[in-house]
């Protein structure tokens, strides 16, 4: 049964539940990201794994730059490898069963970390193994959500992945502040072992959700694809064969799968020039790179250390404040990405983030924060305002785009390449940040400010507006020679002046009692006809 309708399209409760369960993959990612910053400051962890001048004397224990960088960053190396492995696994096993397998890998990583005693190398390798699971999930989850979600709410449902990342980070901060007073290894082992719950919830819950109808259609399992669509749209199984909307959607999937059936796709196909495939691969990788270069993980990985250095006595509390801002503002990000599309929020976000990072860096460079409490407060406020902008734009926006920019045939592999790019830069920042911070201190913020400006420029010149379109129409838009990135928000399928007109046409046909499969076939044929015949309207990107 449909819970509600959006633009006349039924939305079932299963569509909401699958978004929530799948997003537990993001929660795992966020929890692992958030926990390490506080664990590195726990007394027992430092006594066991840091370099101590006098064994057993805490005041003489400190992590070398290399050791701290490796413990933090080996997770990212694992996630990069996992993201690349995740694509063929998701294509072979299906989206749901791939997630279950990846949760088991993450579980093994937790065991390796929790059983570490005094060898920091074992703990670091546990983070690497856990990273394999996290990386594979980061490739599979946004893809599954984009393929399952109705286009009318695809942005919101896919953005729940980022929302759960922020929730995971905040949860890790809260658990860490509660566990730090536990005696001996109970402090950090509690934080690590609680992480077992998250893959358990995901691996069990996702088995009750339907498989991606696009994946099923690509395997010629059209009846199962029909069941999957019916469940996510709230249509009863008794009505699925007569429901106009379901019949038409299945036909679209069949036509698309048939067109791609004889085309074998390998990794090299991600770099083909046809249909702007290479263009989109490089675009996805660039967006994921710039998401890391915004500087967000500078605060999430090393926030506790950063705020200790500006004179904050209890940096754990400051971390929770940052985490709460990140989590709460992501709700606003879901609204922004659904209301204003993809391009404008990313451009505005890049400018906003750049401005506040400039303030952060300038304040920290102008005076010594430890000797000027007012400067320290300015830095904390600017960091919070930076996180506000990031959480509402670049954080959810890039993950949405990874799910909806690529064609079905190569979506898994292109998504994996884009996500691997994210994790590569995640590793580079995690490992080299201690070295860079010691060399230039808070001037590091100027580097991130410049990267945010560059990201906004890339979005303006290269990213197409993909909101309110089916995944098949997004593919058509990218291959329309008359459509440019800065005019793409006005683009509509062939024969329609606007996307709103196309949506009304679809709604009218979907609600027509006489709508049949032949209508779906005729629309599919029209959609793939020469789009160059369509007269281009006057465009004005700046009419926001």
């Amino acid at each position: 049964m449909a819970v509600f309708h959006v633009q006349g399209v039924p939305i079932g409760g299963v569509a909401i539940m699958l978004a929530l369960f799948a997003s537990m993959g993001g929660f795992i990612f966020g929890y692992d990201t958030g926990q390490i910053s506080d664990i590195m400051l726990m007394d027992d962890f430092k006594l066991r794994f840091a370099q101590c001048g006098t064994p057993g004397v805490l005041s003489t224990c400190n992590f070398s730059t290399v050791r701290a960088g490796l413990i933090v960053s080996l997770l990212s190396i694992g996630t990069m490898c996992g993201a690349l492995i995740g694509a063929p696994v998701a294509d072979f096993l299906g989206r749901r069963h791939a997630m279950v397998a990846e949760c088991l890998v993450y579980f093994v990583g937790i065991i390796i970390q929790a059983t570490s005693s005094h060898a920091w190398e074992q703990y670091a390798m546990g983070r690497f193994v856990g990273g394999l699971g996290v990386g594979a999930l980061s490739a599979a989850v946004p893809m599954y959500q984009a393929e399952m979600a109705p286009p009318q709410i695809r942005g919101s449902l896919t953005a729940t992945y980022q929302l759960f990342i922020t929730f995971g980070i905040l949860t890790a901060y809260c658990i860490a502040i509660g566990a730090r007073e536990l005696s001996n290894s109970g402090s950090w082992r509690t934080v690590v072992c609680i992480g077992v719950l998250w893959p358990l919830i995901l691996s069990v819950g996702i088995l009750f959700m339907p498989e991606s109808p696009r994946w099923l259609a690509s395997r010629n399992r059209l009846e199962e694809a029909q069941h999957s669509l019916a469940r996510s749209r709230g249509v009863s199984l008794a009505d699925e064969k007569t429901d106009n909307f379901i019949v038409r959607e299945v036909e679209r999937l069949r036509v698309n799968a048939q067109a791609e059936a004889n085309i074998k796709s390998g990794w090299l196909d991600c770099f083909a020039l046809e249909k702007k495939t290479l263009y989109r691969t490089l675009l996805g990788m660039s967006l994921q790179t710039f998401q890391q270069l915004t500087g967000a993980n500078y605060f999430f990985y090393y926030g506790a250390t950063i705020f200790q250095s500006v004179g904050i006595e209890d940096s754990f509390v400051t971390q929770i404040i940052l985490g709460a801002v990140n989590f709460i503002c992501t709700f606003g990000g879901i609204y922004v990405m659904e209301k204003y599309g993809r391009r404008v929020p990313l451009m505005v976000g890049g400018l906003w983030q750049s401005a506040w990072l400039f303030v952060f860096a300038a304040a920290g460079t102008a005076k010594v924060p430890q000797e000027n409490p007012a400067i320290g407060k300015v830095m904390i406020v600017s960091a919070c305002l930076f996180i506000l902008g990031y959480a509402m734009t670049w954080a959810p926006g890039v993950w949405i785009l990874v799910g909806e920019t690529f064609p079905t045939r190569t979506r898994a592999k292109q998504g994996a390449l884009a996500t691997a790019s994210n994790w590569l830069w995640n590793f580079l920042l995690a490992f080299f940040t201690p070295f860079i911070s010691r060399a230039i201190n808070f001037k590091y913020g100027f580097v991130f400010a410049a990267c945010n400006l560059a990201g906004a420029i890339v979005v303006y010149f290269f990213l197409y507006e993909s909101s309110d379109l089916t995944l098949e129409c997004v593919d058509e838009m990218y291959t329309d020679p008359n459509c440019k990135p800065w005019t793409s928000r006005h683009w509509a399928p062939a024969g329609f002046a606007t996307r709103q007109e196309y949506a009304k046409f679809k709604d009218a046909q979907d609600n027509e009692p006489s709508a049949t499969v032949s209508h779906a076939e005729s629309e599919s044929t029209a959609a793939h006809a020469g789009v160059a015949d369509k007269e281009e309207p006057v465009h004005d990107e700046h009419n926001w």
Side-chain angles (χ1 to χ4, degrees):
M1 179 178 178
V3 177
F4 56 90
H5 289 72
V6 178
Q7 299 177 15
V9 176
I11 309 297
V14 171
I16 308 301
M17 292 304 298
L18 70 87
L20 296 178
F21 273 119
S23 292
M24 284 304 299
F27 188 96
I28 293 170
F29 170 15
Y31 187 82
D32 229 345
T33 297
Q35 69 176 351
I36 193 61
S37 178
D38 290 340
I39 284 177
M40 293 282 285
L41 297 180
M42 291 181 177
D43 293 348
D44 185 80
F45 191 82
K46 292 173 72 174
L47 286 169
R48 288 172 181 271
F49 302 118
Q51 294 161 305
C52 300
T54 304
V57 179
L58 180 62
S59 60
T60 67
C61 298
N62 288 291
F63 287 99
S64 68
T65 304
V66 173
R67 187 174 298 189
L70 285 174
I71 289 175
V72 173
S73 65
L74 270 178
L75 172 78
S76 304
I77 289 292
T79 50
M80 182 181 68
C81 298
L84 294 174
I85 296 170
V89 171
D91 276 343
F92 180 72
L93 295 179
R95 312 322 191 202
R96 294 183 311 141
H97 292 110
M99 291 183 211
V100 175
E102 290 149 9
C103 285
L104 293 175
V105 174
Y106 180 73
F107 182 76
V108 172
I110 291 178
I111 292 176
I112 295 173
Q113 292 174 67
T115 55
S116 302
S117 181
H118 291 88
W120 70 271
E121 297 89 347
Q122 179 181 340
Y123 187 86
M125 285 306 299
R127 282 179 60 77
F128 171 80
V129 174
L132 291 174
V134 172
L137 285 169
S138 69
V141 172
M143 178 170 51
Y144 174 71
Q145 290 177 319
E147 291 180 346
M148 288 296 302
Q152 291 76 12
I153 59 168
R154 186 175 61 234
S156 295
L157 293 190
T158 308
T160 58
Y161 180 75
Q162 176 62 30
L163 176 66
F164 272 61
I165 291 176
T166 63
F167 188 31
I169 292 172
L170 178 60
T171 301
Y173 291 162
C174 293
I175 291 175
I177 200 172
R180 63 178 175 171
E181 302 300 332
L182 296 177
S183 60
N184 300 322
S185 64
S187 54
W188 59 272
R189 280 198 170 112
T190 297
V191 180
V192 172
C193 290
I194 285 177
V196 171
L197 295 175
W198 323 133
L200 182 63
I201 293 172
L202 171 57
S203 57
V204 173
I206 202 66
L207 291 177
F208 292 94
M209 298 296 106
E211 181 55 87
S212 161
R214 286 177 171 83
W215 182 83
L216 291 168
S218 70
R219 297 302 188 273
N220 201 31
R221 294 158 61 178
L222 292 175
E223 187 172 345
E224 293 176 64
Q226 184 169 274
H227 291 328
S228 177
L229 277 172
R231 288 187 63 191
S232 65
R233 303 303 195 269
V235 176
S236 68
L237 297 181
D239 297 331
E240 67 180 40
K241 292 186 178 180
T242 56
D243 184 90
N244 293 327
F245 182 83
I246 299 300
V247 171
R248 291 170 57 79
E249 283 295 300
V250 171
E251 180 60 20
R252 290 190 186 103
L253 294 178
R254 185 193 67 77
V255 171
N256 189 63
Q258 191 176 50
E260 297 183 345
N262 298 321
I263 305 175
K264 293 183 179 180
S265 61
W267 287 99
L268 290 179
D269 292 293
C270 298
F271 303 96
L273 296 177
E274 294 80 7
K275 294 187 175 182
K276 280 195 173 179
T277 305
L278 173 62
Y279 180 102
R280 285 186 270 180
T281 298
L282 295 178
L283 176 62
M285 295 175 69
S286 298
L287 291 174
Q288 286 283 29
T289 295
F290 279 112
Q291 191 197 53
Q292 284 298 314
L293 292 176
T294 57
N297 280 344
Y298 169 59
F299 295 103
F300 296 142
Y301 281 143
Y302 294 102
T305 305
I306 292 168
F307 292 116
Q308 272 191 345
S309 67
V310 300
I312 304 300
E313 293 183 3
D314 195 340
S315 57
F316 280 62
V317 174
T318 308
Q319 282 285 83
I320 289 179
I321 293 173
L322 277 183
V325 170
N326 190 30
F327 174 60
I328 293 170
C329 290
T330 303
F331 285 98
I334 294 174
Y335 172 79
V336 166
M337 300 308 295
E338 200 67 65
K339 176 72 174 178
Y340 299 104
R342 319 296 187 240
R343 282 174 53 84
V344 172
L346 291 185
M347 288 187 288
V348 173
L351 297 175
W352 172 276
Q353 291 154 206
S354 179
W356 287 110
L357 282 169
F358 184 87
V359 172
F360 175 88
T365 303
K367 293 184 178 181
V368 179
Q370 296 91 327
E371 300 173 3
N372 296 271
I375 289 293
K377 292 177 182 177
V378 169
M379 295 177 72
I380 292 174
V381 170
S382 59
C384 287
L385 290 172
F386 160 78
I387 293 297
L388 179 150
Y390 173 77
M392 294 184 70
T393 57
W394 277 83
V398 171
W399 290 110
I400 292 171
L401 288 163
V402 165
E404 66 186 19
T405 300
F406 310 123
T408 302
R409 180 170 63 92
T410 52
R411 181 174 296 123
K413 295 180 177 65
Q414 286 177 290
L417 288 170
T419 307
S421 177
N422 180 296
W423 290 116
L424 173 62
W425 283 94
N426 191 305
F427 163 73
L428 294 173
L429 288 172
F431 182 76
F432 287 107
T433 285
F435 295 93
I436 297 171
S437 293
R438 290 184 184 184
I440 63 174
N441 207 358
F442 296 114
K443 293 178 182 177
Y444 201 13
F446 291 127
V447 176
F448 292 124
C451 290
N452 277 278
L453 283 176
I457 292 171
V458 167
V459 168
Y460 179 81
F461 284 105
F462 299 103
L463 178 66
Y464 287 69
E465 181 56 67
S466 53
S467 61
D468 299 322
L469 292 173
T470 65
L471 298 182
E472 290 71 27
C473 284
V474 171
D475 191 40
E476 181 187 344
M477 175 180 62
Y478 269 94
T479 56
D480 184 348
N482 295 316
C483 182
K484 306 300 179 186
W486 48 89
T487 65
S488 60
R489 69 192 301 261
H490 300 286
W491 184 92
F496 301 92
T498 65
R499 297 184 187 188
Q500 290 72 26
E501 181 182 321
Y502 173 66
K504 289 178 181 178
F505 172 79
K506 278 179 51 183
D507 292 344
Q509 284 207 333
D510 290 341
N511 293 321
E512 252 182 43
S514 58
T516 62
V517 172
S518 62
H519 289 154
E521 289 176 332
S522 64
E523 182 186 330
S524 177
T525 302
H528 290 84
V531 292
D533 296 334
K534 178 180 62 175
E535 181 180 348
E536 282 293 313
V538 177
H539 306 300
D540 182 10
E541 173 83 17
H542 303 285
N543 186 22
W544 295 348

